[in-house]
């Protein structure tokens, strides 16, 4: 399945929408807190009671201010420690005459937050009412807490926005790299499939012109058919892995025979390239795993090693205290950092050729087996190792 070229653009737009939504969360939170605070202050002032409206650390304190400028604020709640600023007193006294009975206004400056309403008339039938005082609710503590919480949420949302932005950029780069890799794959696959056909045609033409014997041509055609069959098989296996149609069948098998099978299968290919392909330390050892998957991993690693080798490819095993290593190594040039980083990526191919399927399939199978596949070029050449838990082979499972 190819990645549509407009996916990065869609991803950018989706990321921008999510970023804006996340950025709005702190403002929405503070707005909601303000509405709740207004409702709480309105109920506190409507009660007409001096003191705390309900108990609690953020409960508003209600008190009374005289509208007579010559008088100090009266009916101060017992234990009230708030600061009555001159600006507040001036604002309350100037606004009180403009408010209708029961109408509420607010005063906010910095951490100060006050709500006030005219004092209720003692005579409900009085139409031309001029209040002598104003009920004030001090909600500064609750407002400061709401602002602090909003600041914390804003900080967290900023972090989420940064992570979201980084994630969108990473996903965009991955999509673009996947698109480019798949284009390279189709170009490489077309070349890999076309080459055997051209070689087969050349053999047929040589036989017709009596420049090559039938037996030699048949051997060359067999090699090219095997090469094409291997490529098509890898593509089908990778498609099955993507579709979740790969099953793991655990059974006991002698891993030494698996190593020999890989060497025998690739012997003709190695000889045609002038490469020495040999087993190393083929100790009889029975493992409990999926033989086909292990064989495919080693086979694909060996095919890749033949492409990079100068003269020698070795397939072998080492048994360590806690792990069993099945390895394929070559004496070619060491892999560069980029090649080593992307060796197991799908459709990645380097200058040595290939379609970038074999090693990706090997990595997929290793993960399904619960094993680990690594590549090391620190000592020259490249050594690809399949690491299996030592517990998969016990003493009573060892082959005689």
């Amino acid at each position: 399945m190819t990645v549509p070229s407009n996916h990065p653009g869609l991803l950018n737009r989706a990321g921008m929408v999510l970023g804006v939504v996340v950025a709005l969360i702190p403002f929405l939170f503070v707005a909601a807190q303000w509405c709740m605070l207004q409702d709480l202050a309105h109920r506190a002032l409507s009660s007409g009671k001096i003191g705390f409206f309900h108990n609690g650390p953020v409960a508003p304190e209600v008190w009374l201010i005289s509208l007579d400028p010559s008088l100090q604020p009266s009916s101060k709640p017992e234990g009230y420690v708030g600061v009555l600023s001159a600006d507040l007193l001036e604002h309350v006294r100037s606004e009180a005459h403009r408010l209708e009975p029961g109408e509420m206004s607010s005063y906010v400056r910095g951490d100060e937050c006050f709500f006030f309403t005219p004092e209720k008339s003692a005579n409900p039938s009085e139409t031309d009412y001029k209040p002598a005082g104003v009920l004030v609710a001090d909600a500064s503590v609750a407002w400061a807490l709401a602002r602090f919480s909003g600041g914390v949420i804003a900080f967290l949302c900023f972090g989420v926005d940064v992570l979201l932005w980084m994630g969108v950029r990473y996903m965009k780069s991955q999509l673009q790299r996947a698109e480019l890799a798949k284009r390279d794959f189709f170009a490489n696959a077309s070349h890999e499939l076309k080459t055997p056909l051209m070689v087969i045609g050349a053999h047929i033409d040589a036989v017709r012109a009596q420049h090559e014997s039938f037996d030699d041509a048949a051997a060359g055609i067999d090699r090219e058919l095997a090469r094409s069959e291997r490529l098509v098989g890898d593509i089908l296996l990778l498609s099955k892995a993507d579709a979740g149609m790969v099953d793991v069948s655990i059974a006991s098998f002698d891993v030494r025979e698996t190593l020999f099978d890989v060497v025998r299968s690739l012997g003709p290919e190695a000889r045609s390239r002038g490469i020495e392909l040999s087993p190393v330390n083929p100790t009889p050892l029975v493992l409990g795993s999926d033989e086909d998957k292990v064989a495919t991993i080693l086979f694909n690693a060996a095919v890749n090693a033949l492409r990079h080798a100068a003269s020698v490819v070795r397939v072998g095993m080492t048994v360590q205290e806690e792990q069993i290593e099945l390895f394929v190594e070559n004496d070619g040039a060491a892999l560069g950092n980029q090649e080593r980083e992307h060796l197991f990526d799908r459709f990645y191919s380097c200058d040595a050729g290939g379609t970038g399927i074999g090693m990706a399939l090997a990595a997929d199978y290793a993960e399904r087996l619960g094993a680990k596949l690594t590549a090391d070029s620190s000592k020259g050449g490249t050594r690809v190792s399949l690491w299996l838990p030592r517990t998969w082979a016990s003493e009573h499972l060892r082959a005689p």
Side-chain angles (χ1 to χ4, degrees), residues 63 79 175 205 218 226 254 303 341 393:
W63 43 288
L175 286 174
D205 291 340
D254 188 351
V303 170
E341 180 182 354

Side-chain angles (χ1 to χ4, degrees), residues 132-179:
V134 178
L135 291 171
V136 177
D138 184 357
S140 298
V141 175
W143 176 238
L145 182 61
R147 291 180 62 193
F148 175 78
S149 302
V152 172
I153 293 176
F155 177 78
L156 295 177
C157 289
F158 175 76
V160 171
D161 266 343
V162 170
L163 293 177
L164 183 63
W165 176 76
M166 294 175 62
V168 167
R169 287 197 58 180
Y170 175 76
M171 291 177 65
K172 181 180 177 180
S173 67
Q174 291 294 98
L175 286 174
Q176 291 174 337
R177 193 177 76 176
E179 176 71 14

Side-chain angles (χ1 to χ4, degrees), residues 241-254:
D242 286 339
M245 299 172 60
V246 176
D247 296 324
V248 176
S249 301
I250 304 299
S252 298
F253 66 96
D254 188 351

Side-chain angles (χ1 to χ4, degrees), residues 335-357:
L335 293 178
N337 291 333
Q338 181 178 2
E339 292 176 328
R340 188 167 59 255
E341 180 182 354
H342 300 294
L343 178 61
F344 303 118
D345 289 354
R346 295 187 176 194
F347 314 124
Y348 176 80
S349 60
C350 58
D351 296 337
T355 59
I357 295 179

Side-chain angles (χ1 to χ4, degrees), residues 14-29:
M16 289 179 62
V17 172
L18 286 176
V20 170
V21 171
V22 172
L24 287 176
I25 290 177
F27 299 100
L28 296 176
F29 172 81

Side-chain angles (χ1 to χ4, degrees), residues 89-103:
L89 295 175
E90 181 180 354
H91 179 79
V92 168
R93 285 165 173 160
S94 63
E95 290 289 324
H97 293 287
R98 302 175 188 172
L99 298 177
E100 297 294 330
E103 187 179 357

Side-chain angles (χ1 to χ4, degrees), residues 2-11 13 172 175-176 179 183:
T2 59
V3 180
S5 59
N6 63 335
H7 270 205
L10 292 175
L11 194 61
R13 289 192 288 273
K172 181 180 177 180
L175 286 174
Q176 291 174 337
E179 176 71 14
R183 290 176 184 173

